[in-house]
Amino acid sequence: DVDVDRRNGARGKRMKRHPPAIEQHKRIAGAETAQRDVIVLAHGGQAAGYALHLKAGRVAFLVRTGAGDSFAEILSPAEINGPARITATLAADATLRLTVNDQPVVTGKAASLLPQQPVEDFCLGHDSGRSVAAYSGMKPFKGTITQLKINTP
C-alpha cells in the first residue's frame, strides 16, 4: 500500500519506484480542486499504464495496455463539485470500474491487463515523461488529495 496526504498547491510529487503491480485497485478519498481538466494520478507511459484525471469536470479512469493510440477510458456520469471519493479498479478479467461519491458505478473493459509493470514514474498531480494518454489542456494539480491508497493483490 502507498498512503499519501498531499495538500494545497504544491507541484506533483514523483515516486521513483513503481508501487502497483499489473493488477491494481486504487482509491482516493477526498480529492478536491476547482480545475476541470487535470491529472490526479498517473503511472506508466505509452507502452503501458493507467491514470485518473478530470475531463471537463468528470472523473476519468484510463488504462493503456500496449503501444499506439488505443486505451480504455471510462467517465463518471456527472461532474464533481467539491470533495470527491473516487474508487477505480482494474479487475483480473480486465474490467474497469469507477465509483465517484454516491454516483452509479461505471464499468468498461480494457483490452487486457497491463502486459508489464509500467516503467515510467508513478506521478501524483501530473504525468511526467511520456504520458499515458494525450490529455488536452492539463496543468499541474492544484487542490487537495488526501488518503490516497493503492492496493495490489
Side-chain angles (χ1 to χ4, degrees), residues 120-144:
E120 293 202 27
D121 293 340
F122 176 82
C123 302
L124 188 60
H126 72 291
D127 191 350
S128 67
R130 300 176 77 186
S131 299
V132 176
Y135 318 102
S136 62
M138 298 290 175
K139 296 191 175 173
F141 184 91
K142 292 180 182 174
T144 303

Side-chain angles (χ1 to χ4, degrees), residues 81-98:
N81 294 306
R85 291 177 321 280
I86 304 165
T87 303
T89 306
L90 173 61
D93 66 354
T95 297
L96 303 168
R97 293 177 55 88
L98 176 65

Side-chain angles (χ1 to χ4, degrees), residues 1-4 15 18-21 23-27 122 147-153:
D1 286 359
V2 175
D3 290 293
V4 176
M15 297 175 187
H18 311 291
E23 181 182 352
Q24 59 268 343
H25 168 109
K26 288 152 290 300
R27 177 172 176 265
F122 176 82
Q147 299 175 356
L148 170 62
K149 289 189 90 164
I150 299 174
N151 301 315
T152 60

Side-chain angles (χ1 to χ4, degrees), residues 4-118:
V4 176
D5 191 343
R6 177 178 148 77
R7 300 184 186 270
N8 241 354
R11 289 191 55 95
K13 183 174 182 178
R14 292 170 64 166
M15 297 175 187
K16 285 291 185 186
R17 289 293 140 214
H18 311 291
I22 290 175
E23 181 182 352
Q24 59 268 343
H25 168 109
K26 288 152 290 300
R27 177 172 176 265
I28 299 176
E32 185 173 12
T33 182
Q35 295 168 283
R36 296 179 41 78
D37 295 287
V38 66
I39 297 164
V40 178
L41 67 81
H43 184 202
Q46 294 179 342
Y50 57 89
L52 278 173
H53 64 102
L54 296 184
K55 187 175 191 176
R58 296 168 58 193
V59 178
F61 175 42
L62 69 87
V63 174
R64 179 184 295 276
T65 57
D69 292 333
S70 67
F71 55 84
E73 180 175 57
I74 54 178
L75 292 167
S76 64
E79 295 181 21
I80 60 169
N81 294 306
R85 291 177 321 280
I86 304 165
T87 303
T89 306
L90 173 61
D93 66 354
T95 297
L96 303 168
R97 293 177 55 88
L98 176 65
T99 306
V100 180
N101 295 330
D102 298 322
Q103 296 176 10
V105 174
V106 178
T107 61
K109 194 78 166 179
S112 66
L113 293 177
L114 298 178
Q116 64 192 35
Q117 179 73 15

